[in-house]
Amino acid sequence: MPISDIVLTIAALLVVIACSQPLARRSGLPFTVVLAMIGVLLALAAKWLLYTTITDQFNEVASLVIDIPVSSATFLDIMLPILLFQGAVTIDVRRLAKDTAPVILLAVLGVVVALVIIGGAVSFVSSAPLVVCLLFGAIVATTDPSAVIALFRDLGAPARLTRLVEGESLLNDATAIAAFSAFLALTISGGKFDLLNVSSTLSVSLAGGIAVGLIAGRVTVQILAWLRSFRAAQVTITVALPYLIYTLANNYIHISGVVAVVTAGLVLSAFARSRFQSETFRFFQDTLDQLSWWAGSLVFILAALLVPGLLADVQVSDLWITLVAVFAALVARAVILFGVFPILSATRLTQSISTPTKTVIIWGGLRGAVTLALALAVTENPLVDPETKRFIAIQATGFALFTLLIQGTTLTALMRWLGLDQLSPIERAFRSQVLSQSLSTVKSSLRNFAGRYQLDDELVETAMSPYSERLSKVAKDRTFEETISDKERLTLGLVALANQEKSLLFDPRWSAGVPHILIDQYLLAVDAMIDAAREDGRLGYLRAARKPHKHSSAFRILGWCHARMGINRPLAQYLGRRFQLLLINRIMVLELGVFLDTKLKALLGDRPAEILGEILRQRQEEIERHLAGLRLQYPRFARTLDHALLERFAYREEVEQIDNLREAGIISEDLARSLIGEAESIHAVVKPRSQVDFRATTSELLVSFPVFSELSQSELDEITKSLRTRVFADDAFIFRKGDKADGLYFIASGAVEIRIGERVVRLGHGDFFGEMALLAETRRSADIRSISYSHLLLLEANTFHKLVKAHPHWRSRLDEVAKERRAMNEAEKLAKEQELAKLVAIVTKPDNF
């Protein structure tokens, strides 16, 4: 068949596919089921036109449909990789991780159980050998979830139900195809079934696919980061990736290409988004969605065109075998869902799944293109005997048609009957609150619009009347106040804040230039906040929000290397990243405050909004405290990061202004491109990477203190020899009020917090403390603790008193410093006493009673 004819036929089929969407919506059937029906009808019509004696006018058109060169490679090598990759990239990996056990059970154990039960049942009612029956079981164990997922989304099915079916589909095909390859080899060789050999082959294939996918995914993530400014290059890399991995794995490494593609897609889903600019990521998603829609639609309609040919030799007895196979498949899925899942739920290895959800998963196991593609691979293989070809072709095709035409067409009714198309009670109650706000906004906007363009008042009232009626009905609905408690509203608000924080994190004004590892770390923290808010409310949310601020075990190792071995660079890099994380964290929390006031408050009510505001204030205070310590510790590095943030914001504002002028038609596309290119060239200038300004040497540090400025070098050397190193972690107390004065402390690096009553003073790099108790020979008068990783130098009490006696002028200088600090403390104490006295006078004034 000429290439031009193939192109013509594919183009015509794409037009048919596009026109089928409205038909699917009106009929209420899954789109892929409609495509399968249309494909079968097209094939039957083409055969009738080609062989009828009525007319020969349409023979050429009919031959284009019948003779189109569709093989198993068309489905498995061209269509399947992009479909699998798109499904893996778009799934929420972090949410899917919560359902790892059920997904693996459905996809791996479920396939094994299915092929065993189906193969065993078919072997009892047919004359085919057991190996051929198991081969058939592997072929029909591949579920095609595209129709089901589209239906779930249209009906508003629970997100977890959709996630389970999506997760199953990603690994299901991999397991089934690997099993298919093993049983096809046994069928061709005529060997006996060896469970150990089949199991080892499957294990190697799956494990190899996972390894290759992980490596390819991580390498691609690094390439995407390198190509961050080149949209076309990034999208090209990601579209080429599934075909590159699939072909290498299948044809050259001889492992599961399906598993490799799925694993690579999951890696990109987890880590790639922060490597794209926000506009590029949306373009990338849209591109993958469109490609997968074309591929998925063509797969169904092309596979359907093959159905009449595959069923050419069907007999009545074949129908009985197909029905037995379908029943066995339903039983196999029921065994997993109703037999194994309850055990896992009881042992807390997975969340429980409701009976309606299990029922829909069982009935929703539709088979489609992959099943027909594997059957086609058997019929195309010259080493397979004709009887086996006929058996596989008829049974696989009949099985797929039953699931599509019977299960697919009744799935909507089943879901509605089970109530899975309904909102949860909380969402139904929350709906009235959302409607109230949105309808009020629509009415206000409509009135402003009419006033601006001086439209007739009567027409305005007519247009507003439907909204007024709906608004009055919503106003009478008290389910929000009655159904949703304050605790539930608070949980809704916390989840909304976390989701908004995730969205803000991808705003290039804030996140551009932030290392990808920090964005990934932040995303994990936000997901943990969502889960913790749902499970433990505000306490869980705050606990998860504070977790990124705590130092890891790696930090303690780096601190030990710094203090004991003098290795500074790893610790400096760690603290620099921590500083950047806190800066972006601070911006996010401040932006969340605006979001709370402008969006959430009207939806949740005053009391929940007040509590949410207090939670955000607690987060901000925590962040500010850590930041204050780091700013004191690394002042130059802090200024560098602040300057970089301002530069990024200015750059994004400049680009946005140019885009606005272009969209308004004020400037041309060419001028806009030139201006953006100029802004990018300035922004893209590689600046020298700044690092934390780590501690100075001891002698340099002492010279910087005014109290040591008059000492000679020999005296400084003497003091340097007397100093002892002390290292304190974040939040560690250096000493407490009432402790015995052990010496004078100098801050080589880090920051400390001095708390005297309610008064808090923070000191950083180059400051000293602890002299007052030594000079007055009293106990400590305040609590002092480290507020970051602090490297201190201790001049012990005995050595201090020796130096004071030996250097009276040094003693006098320390006395001056101590006097200044004591006077400051007394002044603040007096001010507080006067303020308290005024308050007492106002309260006790007779006029107040």
Side-chain angles (χ1 to χ4, degrees):
M1 191 174 187
I3 294 294
S4 58
D5 287 349
I6 297 175
V7 172
L8 176 62
T9 306
I10 295 296
L13 290 176
L14 286 173
V15 172
V16 171
I17 288 166
C19 295
S20 301
Q21 271 198 307
L23 179 61
R25 176 162 296 182
R26 289 189 179 185
S27 66
L29 296 174
F31 179 55
T32 47
V33 173
V34 172
L35 285 181
M37 293 177 176
I38 291 174
V40 172
L41 292 175
L42 283 175
L44 292 173
K47 280 186 175 293
W48 182 83
L49 288 172
L50 188 62
Y51 297 114
T52 185
T53 58
I54 298 175
T55 179
D56 294 331
Q57 294 294 321
F58 302 102
N59 285 2
E60 189 172 352
V61 175
S63 64
L64 291 177
V65 175
I66 294 173
D67 297 335
I68 185 170
V70 177
S71 65
S72 59
T74 305
F75 300 115
L76 299 178
D77 295 339
I78 299 176
M79 308 294 188
L80 187 61
I82 195 68
L83 288 171
L84 292 171
F85 187 68
Q86 188 268 346
V89 167
T90 55
I91 200 169
D92 190 337
V93 175
R94 295 178 177 88
R95 298 269 75 79
L96 183 64
K98 298 293 182 181
D99 288 311
T100 301
V103 166
I104 291 177
L105 277 173
L106 284 170
V108 180
L109 182 60
V111 168
V112 174
V113 172
L115 71 88
V116 170
I117 292 179
I118 295 171
V122 169
S123 68
F124 279 112
V125 295
S126 71
S127 58
L130 177 61
V131 173
V132 173
C133 294
L134 292 173
L135 173 64
F136 167 66
I139 290 173
V140 298
T142 58
T143 61
D144 196 324
S146 54
V148 185
I149 293 171
L151 185 62
F152 286 175
R153 289 171 178 162
D154 288 342
L155 293 176
R160 187 165 182 243
L161 174 57
T162 304
R163 192 165 59 243
L164 285 171
V165 177
E166 280 184 314
E168 176 198 9
S169 71
L170 292 176
L171 296 177
N172 177 288
D173 289 347
T175 309
I177 291 173
F180 164 80
S181 300
F183 286 116
L184 180 60
L186 283 175
T187 302
I188 293 172
S189 65
K192 293 183 179 180
F193 176 70
D194 186 344
L195 179 61
L196 182 62
N197 182 45
V198 172
S199 300
S200 62
T201 302
L202 281 174
S203 300
V204 171
S205 180
L206 296 175
I210 292 172
V212 169
L214 286 173
I215 295 170
R218 293 301 300 182
V219 170
T220 304
V221 166
Q222 295 302 318
I223 295 174
L224 291 175
W226 177 54
L227 296 172
R228 183 178 175 84
S229 300
F230 303 93
R231 184 172 84 165
Q234 283 188 316
V235 175
T236 302
I237 289 289
T238 50
V239 171
L241 178 65
Y243 294 101
L244 182 67
I245 297 174
Y246 185 86
T247 305
L248 285 175
N250 264 359
N251 299 344
Y252 296 95
I253 309 178
H254 303 295
I255 55 175
S256 175
V258 173
V259 172
V261 169
V262 168
T263 304
L266 292 175
V267 171
L268 261 65
S269 175
F271 301 108
R273 183 169 181 178
S274 60
R275 274 67 174 179
F276 288 96
Q277 295 180 359
S278 57
E279 300 88 348
T280 305
F281 185 75
R282 285 193 294 270
F283 178 70
F284 158 68
Q285 281 190 314
D286 291 342
T287 301
L288 273 189
D289 288 345
Q290 186 62 61
L291 288 173
S292 66
W293 189 79
W294 284 337
S297 302
L298 283 171
V299 157
F300 268 92
I301 202 164
L302 289 173
L305 291 176
L306 301 174
V307 168
L310 292 172
L311 293 178
D313 298 330
V314 66
Q315 299 174 6
V316 176
S317 58
D318 295 322
L319 179 60
W320 166 244
I321 298 174
T322 302
L323 292 175
V324 169
V326 169
F327 179 76
L330 296 175
V331 169
R333 289 173 76 81
V335 167
I336 296 296
L337 289 166
F338 288 98
V340 180
F341 269 38
I343 298 174
L344 293 177
S345 299
T347 56
R348 298 184 181 275
L349 291 177
T350 184
Q351 296 175 301
S352 61
I353 300 176
S354 66
T355 299
T357 300
K358 293 176 183 176
T359 304
V360 170
I361 292 176
I362 291 172
W363 193 249
L366 308 187
R367 273 64 168 181
V370 176
T371 297
L372 293 179
L374 296 180
L376 202 60
V378 174
T379 62
E380 292 170 354
N381 195 314
L383 301 178
V384 178
D385 64 272
E387 184 57 32
T388 299
K389 289 182 180 181
R390 177 191 172 280
F391 176 82
I392 294 296
I394 292 175
Q395 293 306 319
T397 306
F399 193 102
L401 282 179
F402 182 93
T403 61
L404 288 171
L405 301 181
I406 305 300
Q407 293 176 223
T409 55
T410 56
L411 193 57
T412 302
L414 177 64
M415 289 181 64
R416 286 178 175 156
W417 182 61
L418 294 172
L420 290 177
D421 60 330
Q422 302 296 320
L423 295 173
S424 67
I426 290 180
E427 287 176 325
R428 284 199 300 271
F430 197 47
R431 174 181 176 273
S432 63
Q433 197 75 356
V434 174
L435 267 179
S436 177
Q437 182 179 357
S438 60
L439 291 174
S440 298
T441 303
V442 169
K443 284 187 64 179
S444 177
S445 301
L446 186 59
R447 193 175 294 280
N448 291 337
F449 176 82
R452 189 187 316 150
Y453 295 104
Q454 300 179 356
L455 299 177
D456 184 84
D457 290 341
E458 185 178 348
L459 292 176
V460 174
E461 291 301 323
T462 302
M464 289 179 59
S465 60
Y467 296 97
S468 299
E469 292 174 6
R470 292 174 65 194
L471 193 58
S472 63
K473 290 180 181 178
V474 171
K476 296 176 183 177
D477 187 356
R478 312 304 299 174
T479 55
F480 182 71
E481 290 80 4
E482 297 170 0
T483 303
I484 305 184
S485 65
D486 282 347
K487 182 179 179 181
E488 289 171 330
R489 295 188 211 181
L490 185 62
T491 300
L492 286 172
L494 291 172
V495 173
L497 285 176
N499 284 322
Q500 176 67 8
E501 192 166 0
K502 186 184 291 188
S503 299
L504 288 171
L505 191 56
F506 293 110
D507 189 331
R509 287 178 297 179
W510 316 124
S511 60
V514 178
H516 305 305
I517 189 174
L518 292 185
I519 300 295
D520 295 336
Q521 181 183 343
Y522 202 149
L523 284 173
L524 288 172
V526 173
D527 284 328
M529 287 155 61
I530 293 173
D531 293 334
R534 285 173 173 155
E535 293 175 7
D536 299 321
R538 97 185 259 182
L539 293 178
Y541 174 88
L542 283 172
R543 189 164 51 246
R546 292 185 183 119
K547 190 173 182 180
H549 303 156
K550 296 179 180 178
H551 289 298
S552 63
S553 57
F555 168 74
R556 289 189 286 272
I557 296 172
L558 296 177
W560 185 88
C561 293
H562 161 67
R564 304 296 181 185
M565 304 175 65
I567 302 175
N568 299 331
R569 186 178 180 83
L571 182 61
Q573 291 175 338
Y574 175 93
L575 292 172
R577 288 195 297 268
R578 174 178 171 80
F579 205 155
Q580 288 180 291
L581 181 63
L582 286 168
L583 281 176
I584 192 71
N585 201 184
R586 177 176 178 269
I587 290 171
M588 296 295 104
V589 173
L590 291 173
E591 288 292 316
L592 289 179
V594 177
F595 174 72
L596 174 62
D597 292 336
T598 58
K599 300 289 185 183
L600 281 184
K601 187 174 182 180
L603 288 172
L604 299 175
D606 292 338
R607 179 56 182 160
E610 183 182 344
I611 298 173
L612 290 173
E614 177 59 32
I615 291 171
L616 290 179
R617 280 190 290 276
Q618 289 182 39
R619 285 188 65 188
Q620 187 175 349
E621 288 174 4
E622 181 94 5
I623 294 166
E624 296 289 0
R625 180 176 162 276
H626 287 289
L627 270 178
L630 287 169
R631 288 187 186 279
L632 288 169
Q633 186 173 4
Y634 309 116
R636 290 197 299 274
F637 185 66
R639 289 182 62 82
T640 300
L641 291 181
D642 288 342
H643 182 258
L645 177 64
L646 291 171
E647 279 190 331
R648 289 197 302 272
F649 185 85
Y651 165 72
R652 295 305 309 176
E653 285 295 305
E654 181 179 359
V655 171
E656 189 172 332
Q657 290 298 321
I658 295 169
D659 284 336
N660 290 339
L661 291 172
R662 176 183 55 80
E663 290 174 2
I666 298 174
I667 62 176
S668 66
E669 291 281 351
D670 291 339
L671 178 55
R673 192 161 41 247
S674 174
L675 290 172
I676 292 176
E678 181 180 340
E680 288 178 346
S681 65
I682 296 171
H683 179 72
V685 172
V686 179
K687 300 177 179 65
R689 180 173 293 182
S690 176
Q691 289 189 349
V692 293
D693 35 328
F694 230 56
R695 68 184 181 95
T697 61
T698 304
S699 58
E700 291 173 345
L701 180 68
L702 293 180
V703 171
S704 68
F705 290 118
V707 294
F708 293 114
S709 59
E710 299 178 5
L711 297 183
S712 65
Q713 185 61 47
S714 60
E715 291 171 329
L716 289 173
D717 292 341
E718 180 185 352
I719 294 174
T720 300
K721 293 177 183 177
S722 304
L723 293 173
R724 298 290 179 265
T725 298
R726 295 290 185 270
V727 178
F728 293 89
D730 187 19
D731 275 341
F733 278 93
I734 299 165
F735 54 74
R736 294 179 181 269
K737 183 178 179 179
D739 287 352
K740 183 179 178 181
D742 58 343
L744 174 62
Y745 288 87
F746 300 92
I747 304 176
S749 68
V752 300
E753 184 177 82
I754 304 172
R755 186 175 292 274
I756 307 173
E758 295 182 0
R759 179 170 171 253
V760 175
V761 177
R762 294 188 177 104
L763 302 177
H765 173 75
D767 285 321
F768 64 94
F769 59 91
E771 78 289 345
M772 295 175 68
L774 290 172
L775 292 171
E777 297 185 355
T778 59
R779 291 187 175 271
R780 300 295 188 187
S781 59
D783 292 335
I784 298 186
R785 65 175 179 175
S786 173
I787 55 174
S788 70
Y789 178 81
S790 298
H791 184 104
L792 307 182
L793 300 173
L794 171 63
L795 186 62
E796 294 178 330
N798 294 335
T799 308
F800 172 83
H801 290 301
K802 289 179 183 178
L803 287 171
V804 166
K805 291 178 182 178
H807 305 285
H809 59 288
W810 187 54
R811 165 66 186 258
S812 63
R813 180 62 184 133
L814 283 174
D815 281 333
E816 291 176 10
V817 173
K819 185 177 179 181
E820 291 172 1
R821 292 184 175 178
R822 196 176 295 110
M824 188 172 13
N825 292 340
E826 291 296 332
E828 288 194 6
K829 182 179 179 182
L830 180 61
K832 287 185 177 180
E833 289 176 351
Q834 291 174 347
E835 185 178 348
L836 180 61
K838 289 180 181 178
L839 182 61
V840 171
I842 293 172
V843 173
T844 57
K845 191 175 180 180
D847 293 344
N848 291 332
F849 294 94

